[in-house]
Amino acid sequence: QAISDLTAAIEELTASSARLNTEIANLEKEVAKNSAALDTATALRTKELAEFNAEEKESLQTISSLKSAVIALSKHHEASLVQQESSAAAMDFLKVPVMLKTLVSKHADMFTPAQKRAVGSFVQTATDTEYAPASGEIFGILKQMKESFETNLANSQKEEMQSQKDYEDLKAAKETEIKAGQDLIDTKTVELGSTDEKNAQSKESLADTRDTLAADTAFLADLKERCQNMDQ
């Protein structure tokens, strides 16, 4: 009966061990998959943040330059009305053409052909004469560009905030999944160790029981033979 019970227990424990090994392997794959997904998302977020920071810095610099150009044109226009302009204002005004050339070069897609021609004419005039007249069209272009850059920057900042929030949500979800998976792996690993230990003990007990049965069977056969002899 002990051999029968131990044999059944060994079969059950062996099946449990195989099941636990499979479950642990699948859990490890799932944890590795979630970890890889988190690593990929983190790398992408790092790249996106670096790109955003660079774009934001450039946009802020451009907006600052546009603001300075608008102020310089405004001061020059006011000074031209009273036929008097300070040397500082004049120097600021002469920086506008350089800034405009840079803008057209970097952001050509933001200028219409007509605007490009107007800017080209303004740059040429401002270069040829010490105090070029402040064009109302150029003033309007600069203000429009400044507003466009400010709007684009605000939208980019909103998108960046949303992207960061989405990443934080994903990170929290993946970390929860990874922890749950790892906790389950730890639990099943302990269970597997206990199962394998019980299985080894059962196999050892089975071998001992079989040895005991063989010895008892031999002893009984010998006893029966001696009893028969003694009866005779």
Side-chain angles (χ1 to χ4, degrees):
Q1 183 61 44
I3 288 172
S4 177
D5 291 344
L6 285 167
T7 300
I10 289 168
E11 289 178 356
E12 183 180 347
L13 289 166
T14 300
S16 294
S17 179
R19 173 180 56 79
L20 286 167
N21 274 304
T22 300
E23 290 176 353
I24 289 170
N26 290 335
L27 284 167
E28 286 174 342
K29 288 180 183 177
E30 191 65 25
V31 168
K33 181 181 176 182
N34 285 326
S35 296
L38 179 57
D39 289 343
T40 299
T42 300
L44 180 61
R45 179 86 281 269
T46 301
K47 180 184 176 184
E48 288 176 345
L49 180 60
E51 290 174 351
F52 167 76
N53 287 335
E55 290 173 2
E56 182 184 46
K57 181 179 179 181
E58 183 179 353
S59 294
L60 288 171
Q61 289 174 343
T62 301
I63 290 170
S64 177
S65 296
L66 285 167
K67 189 181 294 185
S68 298
V70 168
I71 293 173
L73 278 176
S74 178
K75 286 182 178 179
H76 178 75
H77 180 68
E78 291 172 359
S80 64
L81 294 177
V82 296
Q83 302 298 316
Q84 185 178 1
E85 183 171 29
S86 68
S87 59
M91 289 298 294
D92 288 341
F93 173 74
L94 290 176
K95 294 176 183 177
V96 175
V98 178
M99 189 274 294
L100 276 172
K101 287 177 69 175
T102 303
L103 278 175
V104 173
S105 175
K106 278 188 175 182
H107 308 284
D109 57 319
M110 296 186 69
F111 293 85
T112 65
Q115 288 176 333
K116 288 179 182 178
R117 287 194 296 272
V119 169
S121 175
F122 174 79
V123 169
Q124 184 63 42
T125 304
T127 303
D128 291 343
T129 61
E130 186 178 359
Y131 298 104
S135 168
E137 185 178 3
I138 296 298
F139 188 80
I141 291 172
L142 289 174
K143 285 190 68 177
Q144 182 182 345
M145 284 195 68
K146 176 176 168 291
E147 290 170 1
S148 296
F149 269 97
E150 288 172 341
T151 300
N152 291 340
L153 177 59
N155 291 335
S156 295
Q157 289 170 335
K158 286 180 182 178
E159 290 173 3
E160 166 59 22
M161 288 177 65
Q162 185 60 49
S163 295
Q164 183 63 28
K165 182 181 181 302
D166 291 343
Y167 167 72
E168 293 294 342
D169 291 343
L170 174 65
K171 181 182 178 184
K174 287 300 176 185
E175 286 178 342
T176 299
E177 291 176 4
I178 290 169
K179 185 179 184 304
Q182 193 58 57
D183 288 346
L184 203 51
I185 288 172
D186 294 342
T187 299
K188 289 186 179 293
T189 299
V190 171
E191 185 181 352
L192 175 61
S194 176
T195 299
D196 287 344
E197 184 180 357
K198 288 179 183 177
N199 202 10
Q201 290 173 349
S202 296
K203 288 177 180 178
E204 186 177 346
S205 296
L206 178 60
D208 292 342
T209 304
R210 281 174 173 161
D211 289 342
T212 300
L213 176 61
D216 288 347
T217 301
F219 176 80
L220 178 60
D222 180 65
L223 181 60
K224 284 181 178 179
E225 183 179 355
R226 287 193 299 160
C227 285
Q228 288 174 356
N229 292 336
M230 290 175 69
D231 287 341
Q232 290 175 0

